[in-house]
Amino acid sequence: MVHKVHIAHWTRLNFALLYVFEVLARLFQLLHDTNSSLKFSEDIIQRIAEYLFEKYPTVPYAQALKNNHKAQKFLQEHNKNIISQIETISTGANLDVKVGETVYLLFHKEVCNSPQEKELYLAAQNKLNKVILLPNAALSTIIASKVCALLDREASTFFFKSTVDLCILDQSTYMPIFSVALDSSWHDLERN
């Protein structure tokens, strides 16, 4: 029974502290609102900011604590993080890659490069049971690189850069049976 009383007391205390935090946070907002007529001494404002910063370190509380080493260190770290995030986002935009929720560059992409390739893959998956399907398979994955001995430099470069849109593999041997390259305007370019 004594144990339950302590838990109840602890719970009431936590709710009271939460209420105090909410009230002080609202006061802090009002003190920094230019339309507010609420005025406190600088000492009281500092004490409120210190309490709030200790409970929930954020930029507005830290900015109010000009002489607090911990708050100023927090602001320096915050500014470094902001600069790092801006640089990451800028790099992501320049590289045309996505930036994840945790502000890391995401280089992964869909395996299919176009809606047509995806449609081809799904249609093949729907109709072909006893095969393995490889979308966007590199030629060097399905043709032995020994073939380069028979090719000139330009054709060898093309070999290592090229893919087929869909390759069908035998399920038991993993050997290519058939490859498909969808026709597109890219193939119409003279260099291709």
Side-chain angles (χ1 to χ4, degrees), residues 22-153:
E22 287 178 12
V23 169
L24 290 176
R26 184 64 183 131
L27 279 173
F28 185 84
Q29 287 176 330
L30 290 172
L31 289 167
H32 290 84
D33 182 355
T34 54
N35 297 325
S36 174
S37 60
L38 185 64
K39 303 289 182 227
F40 283 160
S41 71
E42 192 56 39
D43 182 52
I44 295 295
I45 295 171
Q46 289 294 298
R47 288 169 59 187
I48 290 172
E50 284 174 1
Y51 177 84
L52 294 171
F53 181 77
E54 285 300 317
K55 298 294 181 198
Y56 187 66
T58 59
V59 171
Y61 305 147
Q63 287 173 335
L65 299 171
K66 305 254 186 266
N67 297 324
N68 183 310
H69 176 71
K70 197 172 174 182
Q72 293 309 303
K73 188 172 179 177
F74 171 85
L75 283 175
Q76 287 174 348
E77 286 300 313
H78 175 75
N79 290 339
K80 281 184 200 174
N81 289 338
I82 294 295
I83 290 168
S84 175
Q85 288 177 9
I86 289 169
E87 289 172 350
T88 301
I89 290 167
S90 175
T91 302
N94 290 335
L95 294 174
D96 193 24
V97 296
K98 294 179 183 175
V99 178
E101 289 179 24
T102 55
V103 196
Y104 289 109
L105 296 176
L106 302 175
F107 289 96
H108 65 277
K109 67 175 202 70
E110 280 192 33
V111 176
C112 298
N113 290 326
S114 71
Q116 295 82 2
E117 288 179 22
K118 188 183 278 185
E119 194 174 319
L120 172 66
Y121 177 82
L122 293 172
Q125 187 181 41
N126 189 32
K127 295 293 181 188
L128 304 172
N129 307 14
K130 303 208 183 230
V131 295
I132 298 169
L133 301 173
L134 287 179
N136 272 320
L139 286 182
S140 60
T141 299
I142 59 174
I143 300 172
S145 59
K146 294 179 210 173
V147 74
C148 289
L150 305 172
L151 304 174
D152 64 23
R153 183 186 205 64

